[in-house]
Amino acid sequence: MARITDALGLTLLGLLTAATGGWGALALYFSGPQNHLLRTALAVAFAVVALAALISLGFPSWRWRALVAYFALFVAVLGWWRSIEASNDRDWQPDVAVLPYATVEGDLVTVRNIRNFSYRSEFDYTPAYYDRQFDLRKLQFVDLVAVYWMGPAIAHTFLSFGFEGGEHLAISIETRKEKGEGYSTVKGFFRQYELFYVVADERDVIGLRTNHRHDPPEDVYVYRVAGGLEEGRRLFREYIDKMNSLKDKPEFYNTLTTNCTTNIWTHSRVNPAHLPFSWKILASGYVPQYLYEHGRLDAGGLGFAELRRRAYVNARAKAADGAADFSRRIREGDWRVPR
């Protein structure tokens, strides 16, 4: 029994050493000094120390000294990691260069810097912004937008709030990238991107994806969320509060914990009847199905396959490209569910 306990303890210690060693090496490689050679050297050196600590598990005479030295080094790396701060002061790509914010006076919310670019292609556009006041008493619905480009399991999701008079405000939670910087799922774990709330006209944030992204092409689905309007108002206010908070205190995006879909779920917790966390929130392509299974989509008795077919808006968005009534036209035809 003592041997089994020792073997189990060493196995767990080995797994901990391997996990912290891998994380520390990647953290140094992606977030270390700007000099690539120095950053790589530090990452390799840390990995070598972690490997030596792993090897030491097989040598009782120097095992604990090696482990103490390694974990002391890991604590130092962890302290450095925690000192890295997000910033709003970088050379941003034009599409995320302007921070949105809002002022709130009771039920009246004035949103500043709503993005409404005119796109000729994905990367060729004319920047434009406008301000608009929204009356929360006139909120009519909340829509979930799901965007697919790499199979059924992964999607970019965001919400669009619909108001009387045909006004819509879409809020997409994304990475804030610097000029010359691309997106990497792995880098997203290591404080490489700030968190950014794209507050946009649907002609921009939906039209960009349906009409101008071709490598790879993106498929866009718009679902009506079922629920009370008071829940929608609370959710809208929660978004506004976070958007204003990021203007004053920037935060980092994280591929797993702070992304487009997990933040929607986090914001939804403002409502008492929010859904519990599920693996389908991490596998974000299944979020519409998860909501449907719990009665949180306005389905009108349709099966999910038919609802999904009706929610597909690419063809209608292409036909309505840039039109003033874009939001209405992508929702016409058989999009509306039967009553």
Side-chain angles (χ1 to χ4, degrees):
M1 182 62 69
R3 289 180 179 178
I4 294 174
T5 302
D6 288 345
L8 180 60
L10 288 175
T11 299
L12 293 175
L13 194 54
L15 291 173
L16 178 63
T17 303
T20 55
W23 178 87
L26 289 171
L28 287 165
Y29 180 77
F30 286 116
S31 302
Q34 290 188 355
N35 184 282
H36 178 72
L37 289 177
L38 177 58
R39 191 170 68 245
T40 303
L42 289 172
V44 170
F46 186 85
V48 168
V49 173
L51 180 60
L54 273 175
I55 293 172
S56 76
L57 294 177
F59 298 89
S61 60
W62 55 286
R63 173 190 304 160
W64 297 113
R65 284 177 294 176
L67 288 173
V68 167
Y70 165 70
F71 281 106
L73 179 61
F74 176 75
V75 168
V77 170
L78 191 61
W80 156 77
W81 170 260
R82 291 175 61 85
S83 72
I84 301 174
E85 295 183 349
S87 173
N88 281 329
D89 186 21
R90 305 190 196 278
D91 190 13
W92 303 112
Q93 293 183 7
D95 59 330
V96 292
V98 179
L99 279 168
Y101 66 98
T103 54
V104 180
E105 297 179 7
D107 289 319
L108 300 179
V109 181
T110 303
V111 183
R112 313 285 185 184
N113 300 326
I114 300 171
R115 200 180 77 184
N116 188 27
F117 287 13
S118 296
Y119 293 91
R120 291 170 290 276
S121 68
E122 181 177 0
F123 302 109
D124 181 15
Y125 47 76
T126 301
Y129 299 87
Y130 63 84
D131 302 338
R132 178 163 293 170
Q133 186 177 82
F134 297 91
D135 187 341
L136 289 182
R137 293 167 295 188
K138 297 181 179 181
L139 179 71
Q140 290 186 316
F141 57 82
V142 180
D143 284 345
L144 172 74
V145 183
V147 184
Y148 297 81
W149 68 97
M150 59 178 300
I154 301 299
H156 174 67
T157 59
F158 60 92
L159 298 184
S160 184
F161 297 85
F163 294 82
E164 291 180 14
E167 294 182 344
H168 297 78
L169 186 70
I171 306 180
S172 174
I173 302 168
E174 303 183 13
T175 58
R176 195 177 192 190
K177 297 185 288 292
E178 300 175 56
K179 288 181 179 178
E181 187 175 37
Y183 177 74
S184 162
T185 300
V186 176
K187 288 174 66 177
F189 286 101
F190 295 101
R191 299 192 171 185
Q192 290 299 289
Y193 309 110
E194 272 75 10
L195 185 66
F196 190 73
Y197 279 46
V198 176
V199 179
D201 194 294
E202 287 190 338
R203 288 172 292 182
D204 178 319
V205 76
I206 292 179
L208 166 64
R209 291 168 164 84
T210 56
N211 299 2
H212 300 290
R213 286 190 175 166
H214 306 298
D215 186 23
E218 298 186 357
D219 294 317
V220 179
Y221 299 80
V222 180
Y223 299 92
R224 180 64 44 83
V225 176
L229 291 179
E230 189 55 41
E231 291 179 330
R233 295 184 186 101
R234 282 195 293 265
L235 185 59
F236 186 86
R237 287 182 180 274
E238 185 75 6
Y239 265 81
I240 294 299
D241 289 345
K242 187 64 174 183
M243 181 179 71
N244 284 340
S245 172
L246 290 174
K247 184 175 184 293
D248 298 324
K249 188 177 180 181
E251 298 177 17
F252 284 111
Y253 172 95
N254 184 279
T255 299
L256 182 64
T257 62
T258 313
N259 59 45
C260 62
T261 307
T262 56
N263 270 31
I264 292 177
W265 178 79
T266 299
H267 289 318
S268 75
R269 295 176 66 194
V270 71
N271 290 313
H274 69 85
L275 291 178
F277 194 80
S278 165
W279 65 268
K280 290 181 179 178
I281 293 173
L282 297 179
S284 51
Y286 299 115
V287 165
Q289 183 178 355
Y290 179 54
L291 295 179
Y292 176 85
E293 291 167 352
H294 286 79
R296 300 303 176 90
L297 291 184
D298 190 352
L302 296 174
F304 182 72
E306 175 62 15
L307 180 66
R308 187 174 188 271
R309 185 191 70 80
R310 297 188 183 206
Y312 184 63
V313 301
N314 281 53
R316 294 190 288 269
K318 289 175 181 176
D321 187 24
D325 61 347
F326 177 90
S327 294
R328 179 188 64 80
R329 290 173 63 180
I330 66 173
R331 293 174 171 85
E332 65 184 4
D334 65 356
W335 183 85
R336 296 189 181 279
V337 297
R339 296 297 177 195

